Amino acid sequence: IRIKGSRQMGKTSLMARILHHAKQQGYLTVPLSFQSADGDILADLDKLLKWLCVSVGRTFKLENKLADYWDNDLGSKTSCTAYFEEYLLAEIDKPLVLGLDEVDLVFQHPKIASDFFSLLRAWHEYTKISEDWKKLRLLLLTSTEIPILNIHESPFNVGLHIELSEFTIEQVQDLTRRYGLHWNTTKVEQLMALVGGYPYLVQLALYHIARQETTLEQLLQAAPTDYGVYSDHLRRLLWNLEQQQELVD
């Protein structure tokens, strides 16, 4: 499953719900965020694949056996595949859902990205022919456009693709009811005139209003200021803008 959406559109939340559902079906689950990996790990294929192997193993409290499977003469990709097939997947008797969040970060290193994602594509193909690999389910989360990869080596043109979009007015109305707010269409339209259907911004507003920390009218008035509920969001946009001189100009 490939989930794509802008920042704070709910990708990680959806992954958590999918993994929870998988657990209810008796599957094993491993959520991994590439944001938790050190920068030097993402910049080195060997370190990245070792990080992946050890992180998955630690979830099941399995001993680190990299020394037994890593062979520099065979290369990192083959060694990582052997570690998964002959050790991690061989040790479990249930399907495993591996959720990889923030995989966009790998694209900052094009050579690493090409090798890493071609490996994931190879694993996907293995699930069609190998009993051990049939245990593996991959869940990939991205927020940016995917750079062009070899069509036969990309994991982004196989499986189920889900692209998260903004909430519709009906969905925002449903969310207000879930927060215990009894809003008419006019109030919903007023909020959406400011933030559209952007899930994070809609939810942030409803959260503060439901806690009676503010009213819709007060929130709308303070929204573009330093003391409004969106101040952190606006500061982050400003910081992003200031990093790109051509946009500042």
Side-chain angles (χ1 to χ4, degrees):
I1 301 177
R2 298 171 286 117
I3 300 173
K4 178 186 172 186
S6 303
R7 192 176 189 279
Q8 295 180 316
M9 285 290 286
K11 300 185 298 300
T12 303
S13 176
L14 178 56
M15 181 177 81
R17 292 168 186 269
I18 291 174
L19 295 183
H20 175 70
H21 176 74
K23 278 186 177 180
Q24 291 181 319
Q25 310 308 309
Y27 288 23
L28 301 172
T29 62
V30 176
L32 279 182
S33 173
F34 279 63
Q35 205 164 38
S36 66
D38 294 346
D40 64 326
I41 289 177
L42 296 174
D44 184 295
L45 182 66
D46 196 62
K47 290 182 179 180
L48 176 61
L49 296 184
K50 286 180 177 178
W51 172 82
L52 179 63
C53 290
V54 174
S55 297
V56 173
R58 288 190 65 183
T59 303
F60 306 126
K61 298 184 172 25
L62 293 177
E63 181 185 354
N64 180 341
K65 291 189 176 182
L66 289 178
D68 296 338
Y69 290 89
W70 226 258
D71 188 326
N72 291 331
D73 292 329
L74 291 176
S76 302
K77 291 165 66 174
T78 299
S79 298
C80 180
T81 299
Y83 195 89
F84 262 80
E85 181 176 356
E86 299 172 20
Y87 181 40
L88 298 179
L89 294 176
E91 287 286 327
I92 61 177
D93 58 1
K94 299 177 181 178
L96 164 65
V97 184
L98 179 55
L100 303 180
D101 196 1
E102 303 277 1
V103 295
D104 318 64
L105 294 175
V106 184
F107 287 123
Q108 296 175 8
H109 311 280
K111 179 60 172 69
I112 307 300
S114 177
D115 285 334
F116 177 70
F117 289 118
S118 68
L119 178 64
L120 295 187
R121 172 59 182 266
W123 289 358
H124 169 77
E125 299 300 332
Y126 294 160
T127 64
K128 302 175 183 178
I129 57 176
S130 166
E131 288 303 317
D132 276 332
W133 283 101
K134 284 179 181 178
K135 299 175 187 175
L136 183 64
R137 313 284 191 276
L138 288 174
L139 183 59
L140 305 181
L141 276 62
T142 63
S143 58
T144 60
E145 288 295 331
I146 306 301
I148 296 177
L149 300 172
N150 185 313
I151 189 171
H152 301 297
E153 297 181 352
S154 172
F156 298 106
N157 55 12
V158 292
L160 174 65
H161 175 66
I162 299 172
E163 185 157 356
L164 300 183
S165 57
E166 292 190 0
F167 290 154
T168 64
I169 188 170
E170 292 78 18
Q171 289 171 325
V172 175
Q173 285 177 319
D174 178 56
L175 193 56
T176 63
R177 289 191 288 268
R178 292 169 185 256
Y179 270 103
L181 301 172
H182 304 287
W183 281 13
N184 56 30
T185 303
T186 300
K187 282 194 170 185
V188 173
E189 290 176 341
Q190 285 180 312
L191 178 60
M192 294 187 71
L194 179 71
V195 299
Y198 198 74
Y200 168 70
L201 300 183
V202 170
Q203 179 134 321
L204 188 62
L206 298 182
Y207 171 79
H208 286 283
I209 293 171
R211 287 171 57 90
Q212 298 184 337
E213 297 174 357
T214 186
T215 66
L216 174 62
E217 292 72 23
Q218 292 169 336
L219 183 142
L220 294 175
Q221 185 174 4
T225 70
D226 280 339
Y227 57 88
V229 299
Y230 297 130
S231 58
D232 289 342
H233 174 71
L234 295 174
R235 287 192 193 97
R236 184 170 59 252
L237 293 180
L238 178 60
W239 185 89
N240 287 337
L241 173 66
E242 290 174 341
Q243 306 313 301
Q244 303 182 62
Q245 187 58 46
E246 70 277 10
L247 293 182
V248 173
D249 293 339

